[in-house]
Amino acid sequence: MLKVAGITAGYGAGDVLQGVDFSLDAGAIGCIVGPNGAGKSTVLSAISGLLRPRAGQILLEGEPIHGQDPAAIVAAGVSQVPQANGLFANLTVRENVLMGAWVIRRNSRLVRQRLAEVEGLFPMVGERCSERAGNLSGGQRRQVEFARALMLRPRLVLLDEPTLGLDPKNLTMLSESIHAVRDSGATVLLVEQQVKFGLRIATHGIVMDRGRVVMAATAEAVLNNPDMARMYFGGSPAAAASPGSRKREDVESTQ
């Protein structure tokens, strides 16, 4: 579904990404993890067109999208949810969601249909449609952001550190929301600093360091790999993978 092959990209004269390779099947939840500065969010920028690669290919269902502008990539079926503060706090929940349908705004019947679809996935969006987005909890704001991203019925949804700024009590809501995005028919690729949380909800794990992919496998295989656990996850593979690990481990960040 998504193939990233040999991507080199950066800012100014420097290359942050140095030959990144990985792929995701349709319906997967992929999670990119690694230390700060590894290039994780830069991968999302390259896929979404916010950063033009200097070399390599990005294929969406076999069609090249690298080098296209962001509008063309959105039209191809890619939506991105930013790290934080992606909502207009003074607008209502519904107004924020409808911003995701801007390019189809003249087709009012289609907009109403898509709105009904996302309210079915995220009932809170319909229940609190007239409230200001700034009044919502962190987990609820994430639901609004996800609903907005789905208004164009994308094939691929990119999530940049969705746990950022959330209290631990909101992580269950976030996990359910990410699976709802996948259940809508989209493939999901997220970048996550809270390694154990991200890999536990993912089907595939991609570990990056210094602009390169050092491991790409099933999420379970990544969690159970002793070298990855020692170098990037702050503990043993048993502690990383165990569902009974202490709750505080769910919110540990990569050091």
Side-chain angles (χ1 to χ4, degrees):
M1 190 277 176
L2 174 68
K3 183 176 182 181
V4 176
I7 287 295
T8 299
Y11 308 93
D15 288 328
V16 177
L17 305 181
Q18 301 182 28
V20 171
D21 296 280
F22 67 88
S23 61
L24 285 179
D25 295 331
I29 300 176
C31 181
I32 305 177
V33 298
N36 290 331
K40 303 182 298 294
S41 293
T42 304
V43 171
L44 300 191
S45 294
I47 294 171
S48 66
L50 297 175
L51 180 65
R52 192 177 294 266
R54 305 188 210 278
Q57 290 186 317
I58 301 172
L59 305 178
L60 185 68
E61 294 187 345
E63 296 296 323
I65 60 172
H66 53 278
Q68 298 184 26
D69 61 45
I73 293 174
V74 168
V78 179
S79 287
Q80 182 167 356
V81 178
Q83 275 189 6
N85 301 318
L87 297 182
F88 297 93
N90 290 326
L91 296 183
T92 67
V93 167
R94 178 161 291 175
E95 287 168 339
N96 271 280
V97 172
L98 289 175
M99 293 293 287
W102 181 256
V103 299
I104 58 170
R105 64 191 182 280
R106 288 180 169 74
N107 189 335
S108 58
R109 178 180 294 181
L110 181 58
V111 171
R112 288 195 299 270
Q113 176 187 333
R114 298 285 175 81
L115 183 62
E117 290 175 359
V118 299
E119 288 180 349
L121 286 170
F122 303 105
M124 183 279 301
V125 169
E127 294 164 0
R128 305 187 67 172
C129 62
S130 60
E131 293 188 37
R132 288 189 176 185
N135 295 335
L136 301 178
S137 70
Q140 291 168 336
R141 288 196 295 270
R142 278 287 184 257
Q143 289 191 16
V144 176
E145 291 172 342
F146 292 176
R148 181 177 60 190
L150 294 179
M151 285 294 287
L152 295 180
R153 204 181 281 170
R155 295 182 285 175
L156 175 66
V157 176
L158 309 175
L159 308 177
D160 197 354
E161 296 195 26
T163 63
L164 188 66
L166 295 188
D167 293 331
K169 64 183 180 181
N170 283 312
L171 294 184
T172 297
M173 182 187 301
L174 177 62
S175 175
E176 293 170 349
S177 298
I178 291 173
H179 281 96
V181 171
R182 193 270 305 274
D183 292 344
S184 74
T187 300
V188 178
L189 177 62
L190 66 143
V191 162
E192 190 46 70
Q193 278 292 98
Q194 296 192 26
V195 173
K196 296 168 189 176
F197 170 83
L199 290 175
R200 285 173 184 158
I201 65 172
T203 60
H204 292 73
I206 300 129
V207 184
M208 290 188 63
D209 194 5
R210 300 179 185 180
R212 298 180 185 275
V213 173
V214 296
M215 183 177 183
T218 67
E220 181 179 11
V222 173
L223 274 171
N224 285 312
N225 184 285
D227 292 333
M228 297 298 106
R230 184 178 65 255
M231 290 188 290
Y232 303 114
F233 308 158
S236 68
S242 172
S245 295
R246 288 171 291 177
K247 185 177 292 185
R248 70 175 180 82
E249 291 181 335
D250 288 340
V251 294
E252 286 179 349
S253 297
T254 301
Q255 300 300 317

